[in-house]
Amino acid sequence: MPSAALVAVALLFAQVDAMPAAGPAPAALTAGLAGRWQGTLGYRDYQSNRLEEIPMRTRIEALPDGATVIRVSTFDDGPRVGDVFITTTSLFDSKNGQVTSATLRRGRPVETGAEQVRVATATDATHWTLVFERDGIDGDGPARLRTTEVRDGDVLTATKEVMPKGTATWQFRNRSLLTRISD
């Protein structure tokens, strides 16, 4: 019996091939990420204003429904804290161009939310850019949140930026830089 990752990749190519004029759907592109990835999470340290990085591992599973993706990420937060696990389950709605997610992390309330998602570019199944946007909170105030996810073969970069309400400038918040290590 084929693995879920192989089924997801087969569905991805079927969807990409079936939609040459309109381009692939965000769910189809994201399903192609199924597998194991590792790299770093970089974030701006607010006191030093420097980029800090910590090791990160992520396992991505695309369910055969063509709409649900599960990401389990592990961050090494040093010897005092140890590994931190964050699980995000996302459901893509291609009709509305939205993805709804629930994120779980021990010791914190479950976070849920919906984002608009669009394909900014897509050369093929492994070279694309997705943009996710929503209104939310940054620090203590309302802001527009944007995550730009770029796949370049076996490299995946996700950059989160925020635009505080009343401003017109995007500000960097964090970035994950991952390399595929297995299917």
Side-chain angles (χ1 to χ4, degrees):
M1 179 169 198
S3 72
L6 289 175
V7 170
V9 170
L11 286 172
L12 166 69
F13 287 116
Q15 289 178 3
V16 169
D17 290 341
M19 298 184 291
L29 295 172
T30 302
L33 297 174
R36 295 184 182 278
W37 301 74
Q38 73 178 14
T40 59
L41 171 67
Y43 58 92
R44 190 183 86 182
D45 180 289
Y46 290 105
Q47 287 156 354
S48 69
N49 203 31
R50 292 187 322 193
L51 181 68
E52 300 290 333
E53 291 186 316
I54 58 175
M56 173 182 179
R57 297 180 312 276
T58 299
R59 180 177 44 85
I60 301 173
E61 180 180 356
L63 299 188
D65 66 3
T68 307
V69 176
I70 302 168
R71 294 183 190 219
V72 179
S73 296
T74 307
F75 304 90
D76 181 351
D77 206 13
R80 193 167 49 89
V81 175
D83 283 345
V84 173
F85 301 92
I86 300 175
T87 303
T88 302
T89 300
S90 301
L91 180 64
F92 288 82
D93 178 349
S94 60
K95 287 183 183 177
N96 295 322
Q98 275 193 330
V99 59
T100 303
S101 301
T103 300
L104 299 97
R105 178 176 174 178
R106 186 182 74 186
R108 295 196 179 174
V110 174
E111 292 180 30
T112 60
E115 300 174 290
Q116 291 300 123
V117 59
R118 65 180 169 83
V119 178
T121 64
T123 305
D124 58 38
T126 62
H127 297 88
W128 47 258
T129 300
L130 296 178
V131 178
F132 300 81
E133 286 192 52
R134 69 180 172 94
D135 291 322
I137 301 294
D138 180 59
D140 294 328
R144 186 77 178 155
L145 309 175
R146 175 174 71 186
T147 300
T148 304
E149 194 167 69
V150 178
R151 180 168 185 190
D152 185 12
D154 285 340
V155 176
L156 181 65
T157 306
T159 304
K160 181 179 180 182
E161 300 168 291
V162 300
M163 183 186 303
K165 187 174 183 174
T167 69
T169 305
W170 290 102
Q171 300 172 10
F172 172 85
R173 280 299 172 258
N174 60 55
R175 177 196 69 213
S176 63
L177 178 57
L178 301 171
T179 302
R180 179 186 290 280
I181 56 173
S182 70
D183 291 338

